Amino acid sequence: MNPDKSGCDLRPADPSKVDAASIPTCCGTSRSIELHPAATTRGTSWTGYYQSEDLARFGEIARVNPALGEAFFSYYEKAMADGVLTRREKALIALALAHALKCPYCIDAYTATLTGLGVSEVEMGAAVHVAAAIGAGITLVHSVQMMNKLEVASMEN
């Protein structure tokens, strides 16, 4: 794994360091990548596709459709509040899910939330390992489909 690259198509974390035409996609082809204007207007250097300061702009998602934005934030607030599960338990689930779905914004947010709730790095790491183990199991259980296909093929021969 190259820490300077990210995404399925191996987009570089810092496009200015790589010849865009040489970047392979997940299909094995190459294509040209044009930099978004923000790449040249954000400060003096590009630090990657995910900018930690963008997390503070999350509330702006409601600007296109305020009613749906407000509905989401209301739902989110209710879902994350203490209830059958504590805020702490929910935040650990959210951190694990953020890792599984690879959302650096959520990883930053829930790491900060959990730190504020007094959750240790060891506990957070345990939650991430649960997500990794479940992800591995999900991948592996699909091999049953492969085995089924092979068994049918062997009966046909």
Side-chain angles (χ1 to χ4, degrees), residues 30-96:
S30 293
R31 61 180 165 80
S32 177
I33 295 176
E34 290 188 30
L35 294 181
H36 187 280
T40 57
T41 59
R42 279 203 176 154
T44 57
S45 66
W46 176 260
T47 58
Y49 286 98
Y50 295 104
Q51 305 295 315
S52 60
E53 63 270 13
D54 286 346
L55 183 56
R57 297 186 63 197
F58 187 53
E60 293 178 39
I61 65 163
R63 78 179 183 197
V64 174
N65 190 323
L68 287 178
E70 289 175 29
F72 166 76
F73 287 116
S74 176
Y75 169 74
Y76 176 87
E77 185 178 316
K78 290 173 184 166
M80 295 304 290
D82 277 321
V84 175
L85 298 175
T86 65
R87 283 184 58 232
R88 180 186 191 280
E89 292 166 327
K90 291 177 179 186
L92 280 166
I93 293 167
L95 180 68

